[in-house]
Amino acid sequence: MTERVVLAYSGGLDTSVCIGWIAEATGAEVIAVAVDVGQGGEDLDVIRKRALACGAADAEVVDARDEFAQEYCVPAVKANALYMDQYPLVSALSRPVIVKHLVATAEKHNAGIVAHGCTGKGNDQVRFEAGISSLAPGLKCIAPVRDYAMTRDKAIAFAEAKGLPIATTKKSPYSIDQNVFGRAVETGFLEDIWNGPVEDVYEYTRNPAEPREADEVVITFEQGVPVALDGVAVTPLQAVQQLNQRAGAQGVGRLDMVEDRLVGIKSREVYEAPGAIALITAHRELEAVTVERELARFKRQVQQRWTELVYDGLWFSPLKQALDGFIDEANKYVSGDIRMTLHGGRAVVTGRKSAQSLYDFNLATYDTGDTFDQSMAKGFIEIFGLSTKIAAQRSLRAQDGAAAQ
Ligand code: ARG
């Protein structure tokens, strides 16, 4: 039987060329799979037909938008996932859901190989291949751009020689990856890290410096999951989409950073993730109100580790899954409303309300009605500070001893 290869297909030049290139290099039939994670742009059926026109034996499209929002973006919100304290994992979240569908398609078609269009320098190759080996250890992976040295120039020459129905002329100066959770832009003049991003880099956000009216939104969470905006029930996908619009209109969620890739390179990335940043900002504040201090402190360490695991392509790893259990448990009481002002590129929390709140007005107040017994504080501090006090006394004795010699 002819070997089959399942290819992660975007519809662009590189993966369109990959179809024929893989077929020639391996003698296999290529099955193209395009996964919709809310990247927008072209109609998926157009993409499917293009794959067939480029020589795919079969082509499938999957609408994974709700699945992506519920099972990948929501856990990232619960984890307040910001890699290097900034980047909400946009691309890193989409790879595992794409992997899941590649593996399912490979099983369905009895394919033994999965292929993707990543280069050998980035994180995404790791996310695809580590993900695939976690879900289906028997599948092999190939990456033509990396493994068969398929450069852009060779791809264009191949497309022209075969008459592939794909535009080879206009090349965006940037490398862009986008989905409903955000948009990543790199390369081109951004590779000089002194160059500031120009306005036309952005698509999900308006310029925050332009004058406009502020927007106010109330986000309701249930156990860490966004369930309503301004009192109107929404699915996680709708929450992200609607906040992309509203926060994006206020310029919220623009990032410009130099980031540590897993492969050891530092790279400059410009991101825009208005919905993600609005949701994480709100969720983090609701945790501040509803999560007990020690749990909250420990969770900050756990979520940083979780974020690094996901960034590093270990979504399906045992540690990441075990940390999911902790993060879900920590979100048990993270229910309530957060009010935010969206304006001037920022999402600023202005109010919190929760039936699970641990904020006790009578303990916190400096006015009458105070139930906190201040007389107990003196003894508490005496004992709390005792061990460092004894150590300080020893330091003084040691100094005196040294001075006396
Ligand atoms: N550096 C980011 C990450 O590893 C984004 C990579 C996405 N690709 C791109 N062409 N910008 O998650």
Side-chain angles (χ1 to χ4, degrees), residues 378-400:
K378 193 174 164 53
F380 165 73
I381 298 163
E382 189 67 36
I383 294 173
F384 181 70
L386 187 58
S387 68
T388 42
K389 183 175 176 181
I390 294 168
Q393 286 166 341
R394 181 186 58 189
S395 301
L396 281 178
R397 279 199 309 275
Q399 275 170 29
D400 290 348

Side-chain angles (χ1 to χ4, degrees), residues 83 87 89-93 95 122-124 127 174-178 183-187 259-262 267-271 311:
Y83 181 66
Y87 164 47
L89 293 180
V90 175
S91 304
L93 292 172
R95 301 312 178 222
N123 297 314
D124 288 330
R127 296 168 183 155
Y174 311 114
S175 163
I176 297 167
D177 183 53
Q178 64 189 48
R183 188 162 171 272
V185 186
E186 57 181 330
T187 74
E259 132 192 340
D260 282 315
R261 281 192 197 163
L262 177 59
S267 71
R268 201 274 187 90
E269 292 274 4
V270 171
Y271 296 108
Y311 183 87

Side-chain angles (χ1 to χ4, degrees), residues 237-309:
L237 178 64
Q238 290 167 333
V240 180
Q241 285 172 329
Q242 289 177 24
L243 286 168
N244 275 345
Q245 291 301 322
R246 291 174 65 177
Q250 302 287 338
V252 173
R254 288 188 176 185
L255 301 168
D256 176 357
M257 63 187 283
V258 171
E259 132 192 340
D260 282 315
R261 281 192 197 163
L262 177 59
V263 295
I265 301 171
K266 284 192 186 287
S267 71
R268 201 274 187 90
E269 292 274 4
V270 171
Y271 296 108
E272 37 183 356
I277 294 299
L279 282 168
I280 290 172
T281 303
H283 177 266
R284 204 164 39 187
E285 182 65 12
L286 189 57
E287 282 192 343
V289 175
T290 56
V291 178
E292 182 273 333
R293 182 191 64 200
E294 292 308 312
L295 178 56
R297 287 181 174 177
F298 194 69
K299 183 171 183 286
R300 283 194 275 276
Q301 298 174 36
V302 169
Q303 66 199 24
Q304 186 174 340
R305 192 76 188 90
W306 188 96
T307 302
E308 288 166 356
L309 289 166

Side-chain angles (χ1 to χ4, degrees), residues 111-373:
I113 303 174
V114 172
H116 60 78
C118 304
T119 71
K121 285 176 77 169
N123 297 314
D124 288 330
Q125 54 174 342
V126 184
R127 296 168 183 155
F128 276 118
E129 295 177 28
I132 285 159
S133 65
S134 305
L135 293 186
L139 281 177
K140 282 202 293 194
C141 293
I142 53 175
V145 175
R146 179 193 68 195
D147 303 340
Y148 307 144
M150 196 191 96
T151 61
R152 184 97 188 169
D153 290 343
K154 287 191 205 163
I156 290 172
F158 187 97
E160 280 168 358
K162 307 280 169 178
L164 298 185
I166 172 111
T168 55
T169 43
K170 68 165 196 315
K171 178 183 173 348
S172 159
Y174 311 114
S175 163
I176 297 167
D177 183 53
Q178 64 189 48
N179 60 54
V180 73
F181 213 51
R183 188 162 171 272
V185 186
E186 57 181 330
T187 74
F189 84 106
L190 295 171
E191 281 175 356
D192 179 338
I193 61 178
W194 185 249
N195 284 341
V198 290
E199 220 18 64
D200 74 324
V201 160
Y202 299 107
E203 233 172 60
Y204 286 17
T205 52
R206 304 285 303 277
N207 185 347
E210 280 168 10
R212 63 174 70 83
E213 293 268 297
D215 190 4
E216 190 179 82
V217 64
V218 175
I219 307 178
T220 306
F221 291 88
E222 251 167 48
Q223 302 197 317
V225 182
V227 294
L229 295 181
D230 294 327
V232 181
V234 286
T235 63
L237 178 64
Q238 290 167 333
V240 180
Q241 285 172 329
Q242 289 177 24
L243 286 168
N244 275 345
Q245 291 301 322
R246 291 174 65 177
Q250 302 287 338
V252 173
R254 288 188 176 185
L255 301 168
D256 176 357
M257 63 187 283
V258 171
E259 132 192 340
D260 282 315
R261 281 192 197 163
L262 177 59
V263 295
I265 301 171
K266 284 192 186 287
S267 71
R268 201 274 187 90
E269 292 274 4
V270 171
Y271 296 108
E272 37 183 356
I277 294 299
L279 282 168
I280 290 172
T281 303
H283 177 266
R284 204 164 39 187
E285 182 65 12
L286 189 57
E287 282 192 343
V289 175
T290 56
V291 178
E292 182 273 333
R293 182 191 64 200
E294 292 308 312
L295 178 56
R297 287 181 174 177
F298 194 69
K299 183 171 183 286
R300 283 194 275 276
Q301 298 174 36
V302 169
Q303 66 199 24
Q304 186 174 340
R305 192 76 188 90
W306 188 96
T307 302
E308 288 166 356
L309 289 166
V310 173
Y311 183 87
D312 289 350
L314 298 174
W315 180 271
F316 299 106
S317 70
L319 178 56
K320 146 73 177 53
Q321 285 175 356
L323 297 185
D324 281 335
F326 173 86
I327 290 167
D328 284 343
E329 173 66 24
N331 270 276
K332 204 157 119 188
Y333 296 109
V334 186
S335 302
D337 294 343
I338 293 292
R339 188 183 59 229
M340 288 197 305
T341 298
L342 309 170
H343 191 54
R346 298 186 60 208
V348 178
V349 174
T350 60
R352 319 90 180 125
K353 189 157 59 175
S354 170
Q356 310 297 342
S357 172
L358 299 177
Y359 178 83
D360 185 332
F361 180 86
N362 291 325
L363 284 176
T365 186
Y366 283 95
D367 296 341
T368 44
D370 183 358
T371 57
F372 185 88
D373 182 354

